[in-house]
Amino acid sequence: MKYDKDYREAQEHPETFWKAQAANIHWFRRPETILSKDDQGIDRWFADGELNTAFLALDYHVLNGRGEQAALIYDSPVTGVTRTYSYYELTEEVARFAGALKSKGVSKGDRVVIYMPMIPEAAIAMLACARLGAVHSVVFGGFAPHELAVRIDDAAPKVLVTASCGIEVDRIIPYKPIVNDALAMAESPPEACIVFQRDQCPCELTPGTDFDWKSLTSAAEPADCVAVKATDPLYVLYTSGTTGKPKGVVRDNGGHAVAMRYSMASVYDIHPGDVFWAASDVGWGGGHSYIVYAPLITGCTTVFYEGKPVRTPDAGAFWRVCSEHRVKALFAAPTAFRAVRKEDPECRMAAAYDLSSLKTIFMAGERLDPPTYDWVVEHLERPVVDHWWQTETGWAIAGNHVGYGIAPTKPGSVTRATPGFVVEILDDDGAPVEPGEQGNIALRLPMPPGSLPTIWGNHSRFVDGYLSKFAGYYVSGDGGFIDTEGYLFVQGRTDDIINVAGHRLSTGEMEEVVASHPAVAECAVIGRRCELKGEEPLGLVLLKDGVSVDENSLESELIQEVRARIGAVASFKHAVVVQRLPKTRSGKILRKVLRSIANGEEYQTPSTIDDPACLVEIEATLLKKGLRN
Ligand code: COA
Ligand code: AMP
């Protein structure tokens, strides 16, 4: 079997395997050194190679006969617009916007923060940065000013690129006030802000610091591709850690391009000319890799969708887009299909569309629960592939690799490791466990190309958070097991990260916001199972001594505060006052037990608990409020 052969080759002779994969992309200078260590002792791929990622994604295809082919189809049910960009047109737009960035002083190595809705200009801005060798950092549009400010301060961008508004179904979200607030909060705001004005809600520009995208671009000279080293950063993408400070995952140029190209063929069975649709957002890892870079580097057509699976206008949205644009593979989070199932339980709307082009449906971003898997298989009657990955890796660590031929599936399993990733289950002391036994999912070093080499501006956070726990391994933060046939089961995070509607969020960060309320002495935010969103946050709040508040008002204030500080995307909707919180004798809150209680799961009273009676009390409170599953 080709999968077995490649898996073994990538494990036993990684340099040979990845050298062959590297030959599938165009280099300005072909790498001789395939795997080496950097000054910090981190494994790096293709260190002496030179390339330009935007060249691979655009110019290369124009120069090789794909100029007229559709590169990007913008489908926006929220504005009623559909627009196709050929490779030629997209290259022109990107070169021009790169010129606009250059006119604002952006050059190789500078950072550019992009805070945009799902409009093609977001991809154009990303690719324009890549063209100049600048480092983009896209911030998801659902984040509030404070989150944007934290990312601005960490990335220290020269320029910020935004749009005048986003559109959430039928609600206009003006972006400029959010950006202005963030800039006012930031300690080192960028010198210039480039704003794409949308007809739905144009905004005022501040002379001297704000620049209109269209005027700036039409006056700019198109900029050429700048050669960068394979190890130079392409982007920084912030993701939730266990504290309030997000982690800037760094992605390099060379390893990333090779991994993107390889994954399209092996994981997705997608080839030049195919139409691929990742129904995500460019603000997430999935959007970076599979809306923008992988499909374009491969010479495919990518669908760029500004809408939701439901309500834009109905639960047939996915099927309409697949049919209209002849999509070959659809990739979305399970939560999106749960939303469709809720509105159209018999999946009747799919019958109205010709779905003959659609070969495979891919899911990732959160655990694929067997009922959702069964529902999609039953109604769509085509392979449904679960695959597991993280912002940190940028592509699938494990999956059922369609390019190698689909393996038999097992309910609840993400199938097997992707060639290049060596996945092992370790106990808390770092010893491998027996098949079927649960433990920490760890990846043996070296990780394959594309995986993060560091955390932006904080290398020790990378080493301490990922590499120090088990020598020779990257610790994923997920727990699970591998069965006797090598099938991997990912069972959930072992840290304080939760996954709400496919969005990765930090409960620690929410706790910081809740605890800052003047009435709150202490709190715990945990992930409670939710039928639609997979998980939802639940706050348990202990009041300061002597404070008396109306609990409903307090809950509203806390909900409002989390929304204002983190963003609507946190979906923080419940805060319950409790009399005590379970703690160990050393004072650590026992969040795992709280999670089990809220989820109606059996739990063992930990021997270290200082006050076992409070567990019964909390369970009763949650039951009374209808918040115990
Ligand atoms: N800009 C502004 N607000 C946003 C936003 C954005 N880009 N994205 C989400 N929000 C808001 C929503 O409007 C909602 O606001 P509300 O509380 O006022 O209603 C809130 O954030 C929560 O959003 P979400 O949890 O996404 O719920 P939803 O009802 O808007 O959408 C789904 C539900 C399932 C359609 C949507 O969550 C989804 O498509 N998820 C998949 C995510 C994904 O692709 N993940 C990556 C996989 S690799
Ligand atoms: P993100 O970095 O936002 O992509 O989130 C990564 C996290 O999402 C992982 O660490 C997992 O906890 C979860 N995740 C992603 N894909 C899957 C999957 N297929 N099955 C189970 N969990 C997943």
Side-chain angles (χ1 to χ4, degrees), residues 115-118 140-143 166-169 171 173 175 279-281 284-287 307-311 318 331-337 339 364-366 389 500-503 532-533 563 567-571 573:
Y115 182 71
M116 291 192 112
M118 277 295 290
F140 177 62
F143 281 126
I167 304 167
E168 280 292 292
V169 186
R171 204 158 34 107
I173 315 265
Y175 271 32
S280 179
D281 187 290
W284 305 119
K308 305 260 174 185
V310 293
R311 295 181 289 144
F318 271 14
F331 170 8
T335 189
F337 294 93
E366 55 171 333
W389 55 294
V500 183
H503 310 312
L532 182 63
K533 298 194 177 188
R563 203 178 165 94
V569 69
S571 290
K573 302 260 158 77

Side-chain angles (χ1 to χ4, degrees), residues 31 35 99 104 130 133 220-221 223 339 540 560:
L35 179 62
K104 291 288 133 217
E221 280 293 310
L540 301 169
Q560 195 40 46

Side-chain angles (χ1 to χ4, degrees), residues 3-18 21 35 45 262 395 404 418-422 446-449:
Y3 166 83
D4 297 308
K5 184 176 159 289
D6 277 10
Y7 190 82
R8 244 192 339 267
E9 170 92 351
Q11 183 173 357
E12 289 167 11
H13 308 288
E15 296 197 54
T16 317
F17 182 79
W18 289 109
Q21 299 307 326
L35 179 62
W45 293 95
Y262 168 68
W395 61 294
Y404 287 114
T418 304
F421 288 98
V422 181
M447 300 235 279

Side-chain angles (χ1 to χ4, degrees), residues 156 159 164 268 282 331 336 397 415 444-445 496 521 538 547 559 605:
V159 169
S164 57
Y268 303 100
V282 282
F331 170 8
I397 308 162
T415 315
R444 206 193 298 161
L445 301 177
D496 295 330
L538 166 65
V547 168
I559 291 170
T605 306

Side-chain angles (χ1 to χ4, degrees), residues 365-367 386-391 478 490 493 499 504:
E366 55 171 333
R367 185 174 164 265
D386 186 10
H387 58 327
W388 169 59
W389 55 294
Q390 311 184 309
T391 305
D478 279 301
V490 181
R493 301 285 310 190
N499 208 306
R504 173 169 160 179

